């Protein structure tokens, strides 16, 4: 997989961050990257709902992401805006698929090399599709 080099971008508050998703994709491949994104989803999700809500994101921001009160924390408004950014079905929460799409979409490095990344993802899936039995045909 050819991936764009990790680049720096400006965060919402103007702070700089390094986009490491392309580095992860290059090392793990498409399937490995998706596995890691799914693991990240589980860390942030509300277990009772099986989705990332604004409240579960705030709780996780403090514990998992290290954005506790000592570094300004995350406001309810910030968490709601983050969830809204990727909530395509309008249910007020992020499903696993919505979270994965959002993470990829927000990565400048992945988006710069999205065609190659997509080709790799398809190549990873083709062997599984070829080994699956064909669907039954209707008469």
């Amino acid at each position: 997989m050819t991936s764009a080099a990790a680049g720096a971008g400006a965060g919402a508050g103007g702070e700089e961050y390094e986009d490491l998703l392309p580095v992860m994709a290059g090392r793990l491949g498409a399937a490995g990257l998706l596995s890691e994104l799914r693991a990240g989803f589980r860390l942030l999700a509300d277990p009772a709902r099986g989705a990332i809500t604004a409240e579960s994101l705030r709780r996780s921001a403090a514990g998992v992401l290290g954005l506790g009160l000592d570094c300004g924390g995350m406001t309810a408004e910030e968490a709601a805006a983050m969830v809204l950014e990727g909530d395509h079905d309008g249910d007020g929460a992020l499903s696993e698929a919505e979270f994965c799409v959002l993470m990829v979409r927000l990565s400048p490095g992945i988006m710069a090399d999205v065609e190659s990344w997509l080709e790799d993802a398809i190549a990873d899936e083709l062997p599984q599709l070829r080994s699956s039995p064909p669907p039954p045909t209707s008469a």
Side-chain angles (χ1 to χ4, degrees):
M1 168 186 243
T2 59
S3 67
E15 57 277 349
E16 292 293 316
Y17 68 92
E18 186 175 359
D19 180 15
L20 295 176
L21 220 51
V23 175
M24 289 176 63
R27 290 188 180 162
L28 301 173
L33 177 62
L34 288 175
S35 177
E36 289 299 315
L37 288 173
R38 288 182 187 118
F41 171 83
R42 288 188 300 275
L43 286 173
L44 301 172
D46 175 347
R49 188 158 174 195
I52 297 173
T53 63
E55 185 54 35
S56 73
L57 182 57
R58 279 188 77 199
R59 278 193 313 270
S60 299
V64 176
L65 301 176
L67 299 175
L69 294 176
D70 57 333
C71 61
M74 179 184 294
T75 67
E77 293 78 19
E78 289 169 332
M82 290 177 164
V83 169
L84 182 63
E85 178 79 21
D87 180 19
H88 292 287
D89 62 11
D91 67 352
L94 295 177
S95 67
E96 184 179 87
E98 288 172 326
F99 174 76
C100 290
V101 167
L102 179 64
M103 293 298 96
V104 169
R105 188 171 55 86
L106 294 178
S107 169
I110 290 286
M111 292 308 293
D113 202 22
V114 71
E115 189 173 318
S116 173
W117 193 80
L118 181 59
E119 288 170 0
D120 287 348
I122 291 170
D124 287 346
E125 293 294 320
L126 280 179
Q128 294 171 14
L129 292 174
R130 288 185 180 136
S131 65
S132 298
T137 56
S138 56

